[in-house]
Amino acid sequence: MKKAIEFLRTHWDVALATMGSDHRPKLRAFQIMRMDNNIIYFATTPDKEVYKQLMSNPYMEILAFENTVSVRVAGIAQFNVTDKQGEEIYFDNSMLQGLYKDYHSLIYFTIEIKEIEYYDMAQNPPFMERDEF
């Protein structure tokens, strides 16, 4: 599944899906903040719906795509990011620094890749590779 992981390393703008309190899927644009092996890091604020939804139901999916290729990752959100990691993520990302006064303003979470799917529609038939960890 090296192809899918490499795609994620260069495509950090993703769609992130959660489940709302109304039991309907909720999808929004998000940005990967860091990737370490099969752990993907994100940041949000405690007042956003995405945080409340993940606290209520931690199952989530992300989708990265460009042209005919997409990579889908499914897993469980974990709020296990250390203070040091949060600080590093904040200071490595100028966008976060422009939006938030300090790294303590944010909640950091991860998703460990448990299920990943690589799909390329440029081929006929389309190429699909799926793996579970």
Side-chain angles (χ1 to χ4, degrees):
M1 197 43 62
K2 185 177 180 178
K3 207 180 242 190
I5 299 294
E6 288 308 311
F7 186 86
L8 282 178
R9 290 192 188 285
T10 58
H11 295 82
W12 287 33
D13 294 323
V14 299
L16 186 146
T18 59
M19 186 67 68
S21 58
D22 59 0
H23 303 288
R24 296 170 126 185
K26 305 298 179 189
L27 189 64
R28 79 272 292 150
F30 238 76
Q31 189 175 70
I32 294 172
M33 296 289 127
R34 170 188 282 183
M35 265 186 81
D36 292 332
N37 299 320
N38 65 332
I39 306 291
I40 303 171
Y41 292 77
F42 297 95
T44 191
T45 60
D47 59 324
K48 291 204 174 158
E49 284 300 310
V50 67
Y51 172 70
K52 296 169 189 166
Q53 290 161 358
L54 290 172
M55 291 303 292
S56 175
N57 180 348
Y59 291 93
M60 62 179 273
E61 290 192 1
I62 63 169
L63 180 72
F65 57 92
E66 181 179 36
N67 298 325
T68 61
V69 175
S70 66
V71 171
R72 185 183 66 84
V73 173
I76 299 172
Q78 299 287 320
F79 293 88
N80 58 352
V81 178
T82 67
D83 188 65
K84 182 179 184 327
Q85 289 171 317
E87 184 178 23
E88 289 170 356
I89 289 167
Y90 178 82
F91 286 109
D92 285 346
N93 189 306
S94 60
M95 179 191 68
L96 291 179
Q97 293 173 51
L99 292 171
Y100 305 101
K101 62 181 178 165
D102 63 46
Y103 76 98
H104 286 106
S105 303
L106 297 162
I107 300 289
Y108 304 91
F109 64 98
T110 64
I111 179 174
E112 182 177 2
I113 299 172
K114 293 291 188 184
E115 188 180 302
I116 191 166
E117 190 175 274
Y118 180 90
Y119 195 72
D120 187 349
M121 296 187 309
Q123 302 175 37
N124 190 6
F127 175 78
M128 202 267 268
E129 189 174 49
R130 186 174 189 276
D131 207 354
E132 291 184 27
F133 299 89

